[in-house]
Amino acid sequence: MDSNNKRVALVTGATGGLGTAMCKELFKDGYHVVANYRNKQKADEWYAMMRTEGMDIDMFEGDVCDFDSMANMIKDIETKIGGIDILVNNAGITRDGRLAKMSKDDWHAVIDTNLNSVFNATRNVIEGMVERKFGRIINISSVNGQRGQFGQTNYSAAKAGLHGFTKTLAMEVAKSGITVNTISPGYIATDMVMAVPEKVRDQIVAQIPVGRLGGTQEVAHLVSFLASDDTSFITGANYSINGGQHVY
Ligand code: CAA
């Protein structure tokens, strides 16, 4: 909580498409929102844009791939603002390509940013949450972690691993008032999806029964739901939000 008794919500990779929508939604819900970023120039522009929309969101620099960077950033947030009540592990990248062509760097970059990051951030908030007997950890996975996607061995492996993390941590901290859940978005209209070649993207959209890409706000709404104090019996779950693209 911050000094005004507002719950503190930290979103990693906040300046991307999904992260931005999440920060806005959590701000509207009345949380003290803290946005993590890595690129200073992008962060400055983002902050200015949020201010023009009337949103005052604190920003903290930190590299999710680096354990010490996360440890220092989280310590700084907890000293300056207060204990982190809600952590949204949202930072993620793609480096698509068939395995036969994939470089070691592209493998490691995706595993570091999409999976090791979740350890780096969560490990540094979990003890505080246990002490305070409250926490909401929301891990942003992907439909492509639930099924395979041609060209994404690195991304699918990381995103599938992330839900394994969710299920186990949910058991470990259930008695401490902490819930841990996964959200698995399908294809959402973000820069990441728009980077897929148009022809390939059109084929993907054709496989979505709802007939369109998802909206970032639709995912943010689910984050807001899981962040709430009222969802204390939901833990270890994986919420699909994919327009019916993958049903099982
Ligand atoms: N199924 C079967 N074969 C496929 C295929 C598919 N889905 N996609 C491509 N291929 C085949 C092609 O037909 C071609 O085969 P031939 O050589 O026999 O003609 C071969 O693969 C081409 O392979 P290349 O290695 O030359 O690759 P490319 O330059 O064409 O690109 C790719 C391949 C990078 C995978 C490209 O198709 C691509 O970007 N696909 C989209 C991947 C994707 O969906 N990424 C999601 C990004 S968004 C995201 O990740 C967010 C989220 O969570 C949902």
Side-chain angles (χ1 to χ4, degrees), residues 139-147 159-164 166-167 170 180-185 222 226 234-242 246 248:
N139 295 321
I140 307 302
S141 180
S142 165
V143 65
N144 295 342
Q146 298 173 298
R147 52 163 218 166
K159 293 297 194 181
L162 207 145
H163 188 54
T166 289
K167 290 188 284 188
V180 190
N181 291 291
T182 301
I183 294 178
S184 291
L222 187 48
L226 288 173
I234 302 176
T235 197
N238 189 354
Y239 279 75
S240 295
I241 172 162
N242 62 38
H246 179 61
Y248 55 96

Side-chain angles (χ1 to χ4, degrees), residues 93-94 96-98 101 141-145 147 149-152 155 159 185-188 190 192-197 200-201 203-204 207 245:
I93 58 167
T94 52
D96 292 354
R98 284 187 292 125
K101 283 184 170 178
S141 180
S142 165
V143 65
N144 295 342
R147 52 163 218 166
Q149 170 58 48
F150 193 101
Q152 287 201 306
Y155 189 86
K159 293 297 194 181
Y187 284 73
I188 310 297
T190 58
M192 185 186 272
V193 167
M194 297 325 265
V196 172
V200 179
R201 206 173 58 238
Q203 286 164 1
I204 291 168
Q207 298 161 8
Q245 187 185 5

Side-chain angles (χ1 to χ4, degrees), residues 13 57 68 114 218:
I57 292 178
D68 292 338
N114 298 15
E218 293 175 290

